[in-house]
Amino acid sequence: MATINKNFTKLPGSYLFSTIAKKVNEFEKANPDANIIRLGIGDVTKPLAPSVISALHSAVDEMAHEETFKGYAPDLGYSFLREKIAVSDYKDRGCDISADEIFVSDGAKCDCSNIQEIFGIDNTIGVCDPVYPVYVDSNVMAGRTGLYNSDTMRFDKVIYMPCNADNGFVPEMPDKAPDLIYLCFPNNPTGAVITKEALQKWVDYAIKNNSVILYDSAYEAFISEENVPHSIYECDGARKCAIEFRSFSKTAGFTGLRLGYTVVPKSLVVEGVELHGLWARRHGTKYNGAPYIVQKAGEAVYSPEGQREIKENISYYMENAKIILTGLKEAGFESYGGVNAPYIWLKTPNNMTSWEFFDYLLEKANVVGTPGVGFGPEGENYYRLTAFGSRENTIKAIDRIKKL
Ligand code: MLT
């Protein structure tokens, strides 16, 4: 008799962004004339950069001829892309990461949910609260989190590290160190950043406690201020305790194209075993590599024109972030983020719950955001708006919110 993985039944509700999409679709059906503006899921709206498009076209042409056709990609990624990443994203920033420590994939979401497979089931996990739900959910599916308590909205074996206005949305180190520590900076959902000194303390803490930091820096391209680290490998010793995830989704508009990568340094050793080898084994067994044409598109991102073009798009989104932040402040909202990240984290007015505010904005302003509580209990009474909309919609949405 077949049985199911019962861990899946411990997951509360559906995936956050699926729940939101369902609610919005229902509202739209009931109100077909509503002009809904979606600033919920962090999905880009600007088309791919011209140099990316031209790389895609020529890669497609290569696939049409026997001499240049490509079958399976190397499972860890083509070296033309891994070399570019190693130089531009790491060596140029003074980080000691080499091309063979980079694993190309179809996006950071898959990698940061799959990475837990190479760790023992008894590892404790520490997550920020609020948190990108994928880190917790993937550990629930694996059976590492214990039971869900619907009163506290927490799993009993997960170590939650509250991030709130009092600590600047940067977590404090728990007295008992989690074995696996998930950190994401610039942060999704709060838009907060960590200073290099503070991140160095996390690295020192991880080394002292034999913990591994799983560092999600998918939003590093949006950093505009000095002294904000783009990579955890800017910190001394991080090669011994950290894995880093990066994505082309927000940086270069690849949400629909899919490309990302994970860095596992060879000097990261747990129980005498190099994690690099374990991840390579996992990758090679379960994954057949990101498509050639997409990796060629990724390579084009690192060309001088590619860099100029994606920076223009990033500035466009960050101008949206400024419009949102300024508009919300003028309307009297307590709001955070939006300076080094494409997310704006605002306190709901009059103590409304996050979902009450979601319904209120949807009904009264036809604007969709993401309820903060969907990211964890500390997110209650908060709401997230994304800067990835079009300029026109962003301005319209803020005007509507101000009018309320
Ligand atoms: C978000 O809105 O938090 C992101 O788009 C989710 C993701 O990147 O998977």
Side-chain angles (χ1 to χ4, degrees):
M1 189 185 83
T3 59
I4 57 159
N5 176 351
K6 306 240 171 8
N7 296 316
F8 277 66
T9 65
K10 296 178 192 155
L11 288 164
S14 56
Y15 184 59
L16 174 62
F17 294 106
S18 316
T19 311
I20 293 171
K22 199 167 155 239
K23 263 180 162 276
V24 176
N25 289 343
E26 277 162 16
F27 180 84
E28 211 166 21
K29 248 194 216 151
N31 303 274
D33 296 334
N35 174 6
I36 297 176
I37 300 178
R38 289 172 168 79
L39 301 180
I41 190 164
D43 196 2
V44 292
T45 49
K46 288 205 82 65
L48 291 164
S51 32
V52 169
I53 291 292
S54 103
L56 279 169
H57 280 301
S58 57
V60 167
D61 286 342
E62 282 183 68
M63 293 301 238
H65 303 285
E66 207 164 318
E67 317 79 66
T68 46
F69 168 77
K70 301 280 184 303
Y72 287 128
D75 49 10
L76 307 187
Y78 281 101
S79 58
F80 62 74
L81 179 58
R82 298 167 88 198
E83 296 286 348
K84 288 267 163 31
I85 293 170
V87 173
S88 300
D89 291 350
Y90 293 102
K91 292 219 164 57
D92 288 355
R93 285 202 174 274
C95 304
D96 175 19
I97 293 296
S98 58
D100 61 357
E101 294 174 315
I102 291 158
F103 296 74
V104 176
S105 73
D106 60 356
K109 182 181 189 174
C110 312
D111 285 354
C112 65
S113 63
N114 289 330
I115 196 73
Q116 46 78 28
E117 287 184 19
I118 64 168
F119 294 98
I121 202 71
D122 296 332
N123 281 264
T124 51
I125 66 159
V127 294
C128 292
D129 176 11
V131 67
Y132 179 42
V134 170
Y135 314 147
V136 178
D137 287 4
S138 55
N139 278 286
V140 176
M141 292 170 183
R144 205 174 274 115
T145 53
L147 289 176
Y148 184 69
N149 178 330
S150 53
D151 294 332
T152 58
M153 295 195 291
R154 292 180 156 184
F155 285 92
D156 59 15
K157 287 198 192 154
V158 174
I159 299 166
Y160 292 88
M161 307 181 293
C163 296
N164 44 45
D166 293 339
N167 58 21
F169 302 98
V170 175
E172 270 123 53
M173 287 156 208
D175 293 339
K176 182 156 174 22
D179 300 316
L180 306 178
I181 303 166
Y182 286 85
L183 294 178
C184 169
F185 289 105
N187 187 260
N188 180 12
T190 64
V193 286
I194 190 164
T195 61
K196 187 154 171 210
E197 291 71 31
L199 188 57
Q200 182 65 55
K201 286 192 185 140
W202 274 100
V203 168
D204 298 343
Y205 170 86
I207 291 174
K208 182 166 154 243
N209 294 290
N210 292 318
S211 304
V212 173
I213 297 178
L214 303 170
Y215 194 73
D216 184 348
S217 63
Y219 299 96
E220 62 79 33
F222 296 85
I223 294 171
S224 65
E225 293 182 321
E226 295 295 317
N227 199 30
V228 178
H230 287 246
S231 163
I232 194 163
Y233 303 115
E234 290 176 39
C235 297
D236 294 336
R239 281 185 56 87
K240 282 195 250 145
C241 69
I243 290 176
E244 181 164 287
F245 308 97
R246 290 270 186 110
S247 167
F248 286 69
S249 288
K250 318 297 158 84
T251 307
F254 278 43
T255 52
L257 206 54
R258 309 306 308 148
L259 192 64
Y261 66 85
T262 290
V263 182
V264 188
K266 291 195 172 153
S267 37
L268 177 47
V269 176
V270 173
E271 288 193 292
V273 177
E274 276 185 19
L275 295 188
H276 182 277
L278 294 192
W279 187 240
R281 186 70 174 85
R282 194 256 170 225
H283 220 64
T285 303
K286 293 197 170 182
Y287 187 58
N288 260 338
Y292 173 71
I293 57 174
V294 178
Q295 294 197 47
K296 285 306 273 184
E299 183 191 27
V301 167
Y302 292 98
S303 66
E305 313 78 65
Q307 284 292 296
R308 191 184 44 72
E309 290 159 2
I310 65 157
K311 281 184 183 140
E312 253 170 42
N313 286 356
I314 289 169
S315 310
Y316 174 92
Y317 293 132
M318 291 316 283
E319 184 59 32
N320 284 352
K322 202 168 160 189
I323 291 167
I324 298 174
L325 206 52
T326 316
L328 289 175
K329 289 204 164 138
E330 279 167 15
F333 284 91
E334 188 181 320
S335 26
Y336 305 90
V339 176
N340 296 294
Y343 295 125
I344 294 89
W345 188 241
L346 60 112
K347 189 111 179 78
T348 58
N350 308 325
N351 233 11
M352 283 168 112
T353 67
S354 303
W355 280 109
E356 279 167 0
F357 190 62
F358 175 89
D359 290 333
Y360 176 76
L361 272 199
L362 181 59
E363 276 161 33
K364 304 276 186 246
N366 298 164
V367 171
V368 179
T370 309
V373 72
F375 297 100
E378 283 285 323
E380 183 54 291
N381 304 120
Y382 281 94
Y383 198 73
R384 193 194 77 175
L385 289 173
T386 138
F388 289 123
S390 68
R391 177 66 42 74
E392 194 195 343
N393 277 347
T394 304
I395 293 173
K396 244 195 239 164
I398 289 305
D399 279 349
R400 291 187 198 169
I401 293 174
K402 273 169 136 181
K403 285 200 184 100
L404 291 176

